[in-house]
Amino acid sequence: MAERVTLQTIADRVGVSRATVSYAFSRPDQLSEELRARILRVAGELGYAGPNPTARSLRLGRAGALGLIFTETLPYAFADPYSIGFLQGLAVAAEEASVGLLILQQPPGVQRPEIVRNAVVDAFCVFSLPDGHATLDAVLARRLPTVFVDEPYIPGLPFIGIDELAAAGEAVRHVVDLGHRRLGLALVGLHQDGRHGWADLRRQRSAEYEAMRTRVEGYRLAGEQAGVDWASVPVYEVAGNVRESGREAGRALLARDPRPTAILCNTDVMALGVLDAAAEAGLKVPEDLSVVGFSDSGAEEADLTTIRQPKQLIGQTAGRMLLSGLPPEPERLILPHELIVRGSTARAPLPS
C-alpha cells in the first residue's frame, strides 16, 4: 500500500518546515512566489491535492458553507419561479460572504434528519417546512445560527416572510370590489398526502403548511367580511405546484353550476393552469372570468393580477442575517408585499 502523503512528507522533500508547506495552501502571501511554486510542484509530483477540507474546518471552527433545508426536489427548485428567485437572493448573500451553499433536500413525504445531523455547515436556512417535520428537531439540536423562511414560525427563533393574512385579504377584496361574489379557490401545498379534490373547511384549517394555512384563512376572513358565504365557496386542492395541476383545478371549478366568476390561486403556477382551463372552456379572461395568482413569479407575461412577494429580497436577507458574523436576532421580520393589478381581473359579468 502506498504511503499516505502528508504536509510533513512534502516538507521533508522540499527541506522546509511543515508550517511553511501549510502556508503554501492556506496563506500564500506569506511565501515568495518561487518557494510556493516549488512546494506546489513537489506536492503535485507526490499526488497531494491539498489539506483535507473537513479537517481544516474543524481546526478553524467553521465550514465555509450555509445549509439550505429545502422541501422539494432539485429539478423543482430550478424550475419553480418563486424558488428560483429565493435561491438567487440566497446565493448573492453567500457569494458576498465567500461561502458555499449546501442544499439539503427533504422532498415531500420524505423526512431525512440524518443529513442535517451530518451536514458540515456554519448555519441553516430552513425554507418552507411543514409542521412537525422530523428535520426541525435535528436543526435545533445542532445549535447553529438558523433562520426560518416562510414556514414554520417558531416563537423565539428568527423568521422571515410576508404578512400572509393581509396579502390574501387584499386579493379577495380586489375581486369583491369589482363586484364578484361567486368565488372559487385553486390551492396547492396544504397537505403532504397527495390528495386531489374538494377541500372542506376542516381540510383547509388543518393544512400542514403554516404559510398556506394562513393564506387560506386570509381569503376566508376577507370574503366573510364582504358578505360572502364561505361555506359555499368551492375550494379545489392539488398536490403539486405544476401548471397541469392548476389546469385540473380550473376545469373542476369551471364545471360547477353556477360557476365562479373569480378564481383565486395561492401560486402563480396554479393561476396559469386555471387560465389554460378557461381557454379550453371557451371563456374570455377577464370578461367572463377573473383570475388572481400569488407571488408575481412569471406572472407578467400572462398579464396576471397577483400578489408580489419580494422573493429575491427574502433570500438575500436570510443569507445576510446568517452570514453577518452576528447571531440572528430572534424576531419575526415581515417584508412588504404588493397587489399587482393586471389584465386578468375586471368587473364581474352581469347576470345572464
Side-chain angles (χ1 to χ4, degrees), residues 263-346:
I263 295 179
L264 298 135
C265 308
N266 64 345
T267 73
D268 286 342
V269 174
M270 290 289 289
L272 294 177
V274 169
L275 291 176
D276 293 340
E280 288 177 0
L283 298 175
K284 294 182 179 179
V285 174
E287 293 87 350
D288 303 319
L289 175 71
S290 287
V291 179
V292 182
F294 205 108
S295 85
D296 198 29
S297 301
E300 188 170 358
E301 288 185 15
D303 204 21
L304 179 67
T305 295
T306 188
I307 297 291
R308 175 175 291 165
Q309 289 179 278
K311 46 194 176 296
Q312 288 180 299
L313 179 61
I314 290 173
Q316 200 164 338
T317 302
R320 286 175 174 169
M321 185 183 293
L322 287 169
L323 299 170
S324 66
L326 301 172
E329 290 293 327
E331 62 177 332
R332 190 179 182 110
L333 180 59
I334 302 301
L335 296 180
H337 64 270
E338 182 182 3
L339 172 67
I340 305 297
V341 178
R342 297 194 179 101
S344 68
T345 50

Side-chain angles (χ1 to χ4, degrees), residues 124-253:
F124 287 112
C125 177
V126 179
F127 180 54
S128 194
L129 275 185
D131 296 346
H133 199 285
T135 299
L136 292 174
D137 289 337
V139 169
L140 298 178
R142 292 290 303 271
R143 298 185 179 277
L144 292 174
T146 301
V147 168
F148 292 84
V149 173
D150 284 355
E151 56 202 337
Y153 170 62
I154 300 178
L157 294 178
F159 173 90
I160 300 174
I162 66 167
D163 188 334
E164 300 281 357
L165 204 70
E170 285 184 39
V172 170
R173 283 190 290 275
H174 171 64
V175 294
V176 166
D177 288 346
L178 291 171
H180 294 274
R181 291 299 182 273
R182 297 205 311 269
L183 310 182
L185 265 61
L187 305 179
V188 64
L190 300 185
H191 297 269
Q192 299 185 83
D193 56 10
R195 184 175 181 274
H196 286 228
W198 302 107
D200 59 15
L201 280 174
R202 181 198 61 78
R203 181 89 178 164
Q204 297 167 39
R205 289 170 173 164
S206 65
E208 299 168 66
Y209 287 87
E210 182 176 359
M212 294 307 179
R213 185 171 66 242
T214 306
R215 199 173 293 180
V216 175
E217 182 69 0
Y219 290 141
R220 182 188 67 81
L221 288 173
E224 290 183 342
Q225 288 168 1
V228 175
D229 176 16
W230 200 254
S232 68
V233 173
V235 177
Y236 194 92
E237 67 168 318
V238 297
N241 188 35
V242 294
R243 191 159 178 161
E244 179 54 40
S245 293
R247 191 178 294 120
E248 173 191 332
R251 288 168 180 156
L253 289 164

